Each structure stands twice: as C-alpha cells, then as structure tokens.
Amino acid sequence: MFTQQFLQTQLASRIRVARTGRDTEAPDAQPLTAERMAEIAAEAASATTTVTVVLRRFEPRIYVESVLGFALSLPDTLCEAWLRAYTRTVFLTGNPANLATRFGFHYISRDGSMAWTAPDDSGERSPLRRLLRLFPTAELPALPARLEVPAAVPPPERDASAPVRRARLYAVTTRVSLAAYLVHVHHVLAEAVITKLIDEHTELAIHHVPQLDPSDGPFDMLRVVPDADADPSGDGPETAGSGRLRACAGLSLGGGVRVS
C-alpha cells in the first residue's frame, strides 16, 4: 500500500512537471502543505487552455488508442501550454459526426464515436460547452481485466531499427465512475506522451484493477487524487485539504524495450 508521504511526493512531481515541462529532483520552492496545494489548485483553475472531448459512446480500447493518437498528433507548441494547465480536459456527450463540419475537430477516433479539439484558451466559453452537456457521472461498466493496445506506428510503417517500448497502465475501477475513469486515464496518457515517456513506438497493456499495488511498479507516473469519494470529475492538481490521497492510475515502463 502506498504511504501518504509517497503520494504527496508524486503529486508534487506532477506540479513540477506542469511548471517546467519535465520532472526534476529539485523540490518545490515551498512546502506542499494543504494551504500551498489550495493555492496551486487555484492557479490551475485560472488556466484557460483546455481540450474538449465529445463522446457518442465509450469503448475502452478505442478510447485509449484515441487518447494516444490525439496526444501524439499535437505539435510541441500546443503541448506546452496544455501541460502548464495540467492537461485540462472537458468531456461532453454528443455525436461527432453531427458536429465535425461546424467545429473542425483536431482528432477523431477511427470509429467516429469520439472527437478531440486542439488545446485552446476558450475554456468555459467554448461553443461546444454551451451546446452540449457534460458527460454523465455514470457507473463504470464492466471492463476487461487486460487490454493490449498496439503502437501507434504499425510494423509495416515502422523503421526497422526503431526501438519498441512496452508500457503498462494500471487503472483503478473501485469507487471510480465512468466520468472519473475517462479523466484519470486521459491525464496519465496525455502527460506521458507530452513528457516523452510514451511515443509512437510504445506498445501499451492496460490492466483494470480494484486498487493499485506498489508491487506492480515501479511506477513512472501516478494519478493521485483526494480520497474523499475518490471520484473527482475536474482537472488540475486536486487538493486533499487535511484528508487522504489515493492513486487512481499508474504508468509503468518496466516492460522493457526491444528492437523490432
């Protein structure tokens, strides 16, 4: 079981990454007290750079493939501002096919059921936000224990000398709604791509687990949230106040690297 001190350290690491674009061993300039976390959360809330996702339906494999495809398609100039806004993302219910000509999505899933806008500073003023409802906080459906997601660049198109990475994403399913699952997985994968932990040659295995076990690591990235109901639906470096923290998703690159 993770200690609260370890989870605090992981949360502080995410804040440093958002501010610098990379992790560093240097500690935060100020202690990570509850008051300091509240200040940082307020800073994140004031950020306007946002990605909007429109979903007609949810299918876990296509969702993960599409999150990676979207993040990999972003130019560095857009990634920096989005990372500094803690990869702020809003999920809406709608049919991308009915909206594509009007809104010009940056990325659409291969089955057309999900679509992403490029990061922009419209925030709450987004036309999509005014038109569509937030994705509902429904119960998480039954998910397969393990899913395999191939690298974004398929073997026929891949440079034969390019190393192929293997990564494992562990996503918690206990006390997590579908809306929260979308948020947790999206943050971890998008930030892993932006910070170069994952690239187009990474093969990903997704494990759905009741809770994260440190023995599944070591983890290169953890999604840490307050353990109130452990079901946050917002974005940013969530604060736990005087309460406890909980890890809801973790990425491990311990699967090795091979050359195809």
Side-chain angles (χ1 to χ4, degrees), residues 50-190:
T50 306
V51 163
T52 302
V53 185
V54 177
L55 300 96
R56 186 180 81 240
R57 65 181 180 86
F58 168 72
E59 198 287 318
R61 188 192 306 275
I62 292 177
Y63 177 68
V64 172
E65 288 179 359
S66 302
V67 174
L68 292 172
F70 166 72
L72 288 165
S73 73
L74 292 175
D76 291 341
T77 52
L78 293 178
C79 287
E80 182 178 354
W82 191 37
L83 183 62
R84 289 184 182 278
Y86 299 94
T87 55
R88 180 184 173 94
T89 308
V90 175
F91 296 88
L92 305 176
T93 299
N95 186 350
N98 296 336
L99 302 164
T101 56
R102 180 177 173 185
F103 291 100
F105 292 110
H106 178 83
Y107 188 90
I108 299 177
S109 65
R110 59 183 171 87
D111 69 345
S113 66
M114 312 170 195
W116 279 252
T117 67
D120 63 41
D121 62 359
S122 61
E124 299 291 332
R125 299 176 289 103
S126 165
L128 281 169
R129 288 292 303 271
R130 295 196 297 266
L131 179 66
L132 303 176
R133 295 175 299 167
L134 288 171
F135 196 80
T137 307
E139 183 178 349
L140 187 65
L143 297 173
R146 179 186 172 104
L147 283 174
E148 296 286 345
V149 178
V153 177
E157 302 174 15
R158 186 181 301 157
D159 182 345
S161 63
V164 179
R165 299 179 181 178
R166 290 193 177 118
R168 302 188 306 275
L169 173 67
Y170 293 84
V172 171
T173 57
T174 302
R175 292 189 292 129
V176 174
S177 71
L178 175 54
Y181 174 92
L182 296 176
V183 170
H184 298 325
V185 171
H186 202 278
H187 278 306
V188 171
L189 293 182

Side-chain angles (χ1 to χ4, degrees), residues 8 11-20 26-46 86 236-242 245:
Q8 281 273 351
L11 193 54
S13 174
R14 186 190 182 206
I15 292 166
R16 289 196 298 271
V17 169
R19 290 180 168 184
T20 66
D28 194 61
Q30 301 181 43
L32 198 61
T33 62
E35 292 76 14
R36 179 62 184 144
M37 284 302 302
E39 292 176 6
I40 294 168
E43 293 172 8
S46 65
Y86 299 94
E238 293 82 0
T239 62
S242 59
L245 296 171

Side-chain angles (χ1 to χ4, degrees), residues 16 22-28:
R16 289 196 298 271
R22 59 186 176 84
D23 201 1
T24 65
E25 295 184 359
D28 194 61

